[in-house]
Amino acid sequence: MAWYCSANSNEGLVNNLKTAKIFKSEGVEKAMKAVDRKNYVSQGPYNDTPQPLGFGATISAPHMHAYALQYLEPFLKPGMKVLDVGCGSGYLTACFSEMVGPEGKVIGIEHIKELVDMSRRNIQKDRPGYLESQRIILVHGDGRKGYPEESPYDCIHVGAAAEKEPHALIDQLKAPGRLFVPVGVKSQSIYQIDKDENGKVTRKELMGVMYVPLTDVDKQI
């Protein structure tokens, strides 16, 4: 059903995703309608398919972004802090910021400098005040290590597939907190990894996927 959500406008795309029951939250709907994908994707912004960004990177299909926002929604409340690993074009980073509001903070980390620059240009054009106010902070670095300088985080999203469970990211979650991450090499699945208020970690496999690998820059470009 998800792959049939393509449309001719951002509102149409989001409405189709809602009809397909990819998300249920009004907050997710509001954020996705506020952040127009055409400002972050140069070709086919409203097609429900992954799109190339260059440098061996892709932006995920809209239905995967909608799933991520829905599963992380309990940890995207106003004032919360988010880490977006592999922020790519900046689209989902901006959606996260819409959900956590002006009192929240989103750190987008990307290991390809040209993509960090792309994110910055896109967000500066679409949401200029978010960078100046540090509502969004973009970092050039190895997201596999997280970003301890701003930790802990209410939630962490990973936009590429880790070979194995990323313990460095789990360590940087608040208690409670949630991680949304694709894991695997030949066979991949999205995992929801929760840390409860006592620090106990539990894992739930959500769905099979196929993401680009979370890897070294020289192996990606």
Side-chain angles (χ1 to χ4, degrees):
M1 187 72 175
W3 292 86
Y4 297 97
C5 293
S6 299
N8 295 318
S9 68
N10 193 65
E11 183 172 2
L13 171 65
V14 179
N15 287 342
N16 288 346
L17 292 166
K18 183 179 181 180
T19 299
K21 296 181 169 53
I22 306 300
F23 69 85
K24 299 178 181 178
S25 163
E26 290 183 5
V28 171
E29 180 178 8
K30 184 177 179 181
M32 293 189 77
K33 285 186 173 179
V35 182
D36 196 321
R37 282 179 69 91
K38 73 178 182 182
N39 297 317
Y40 298 85
V41 185
S42 59
Q43 296 181 344
Y46 310 128
N47 292 339
D48 192 20
T49 58
Q51 300 288 344
L53 294 175
F55 312 101
T58 62
I59 180 172
S60 296
H63 71 269
M64 289 309 306
H65 285 155
Y67 275 129
L69 290 164
Q70 181 62 52
Y71 281 108
L72 292 173
E73 189 268 343
F75 299 90
L76 291 170
K77 302 301 184 185
M80 290 187 168
K81 185 184 286 188
V82 184
L83 178 64
D84 186 17
V85 176
C87 58
S89 71
Y91 169 75
L92 195 59
T93 311
C95 289
F96 287 141
S97 188
E98 285 297 314
M99 293 190 70
V100 301
E103 301 304 317
K105 182 181 284 189
V106 183
I107 311 299
I109 187 167
E110 174 62 60
H111 69 165
I112 298 173
K113 187 178 186 303
E114 290 86 351
L115 292 180
V116 178
D117 295 340
M118 179 190 295
S119 292
R120 185 169 284 109
R121 287 193 303 271
N122 292 341
I123 294 171
Q124 183 64 36
K125 182 179 179 180
D126 188 42
R127 296 284 190 275
Y130 289 19
L131 294 172
E132 283 84 345
S133 65
Q134 295 198 316
R135 179 170 166 174
I136 291 176
I137 297 175
L138 299 174
V139 178
H140 177 218
D142 187 349
R144 294 173 297 184
K145 301 175 182 177
Y147 191 65
E149 290 88 337
E150 287 282 348
S151 66
Y153 302 96
D154 293 282
C155 66
I156 299 175
H157 167 266
V158 183
E163 287 188 7
K164 55 186 179 180
E165 189 173 283
H167 295 291
L169 300 182
I170 295 170
D171 290 344
Q172 291 175 40
L173 282 175
K174 289 185 181 179
R178 176 170 293 175
L179 169 63
F180 182 96
V181 56
V183 179
V185 181
K186 293 182 179 179
S187 176
Q188 300 174 0
S189 292
I190 295 283
Y191 283 85
Q192 173 183 302
I193 300 178
D194 287 323
K195 182 185 288 186
D196 70 15
E197 61 273 13
N198 298 314
K200 181 183 178 182
V201 175
T202 57
R203 300 150 186 85
K204 180 180 181 182
E205 185 175 0
L206 300 179
M207 68 193 85
V209 291
M210 183 53 66
Y211 274 63
V212 297
L214 190 64
T215 188
D216 298 323
V217 174
D218 59 358
K219 293 180 180 177
Q220 182 169 339
I221 296 178

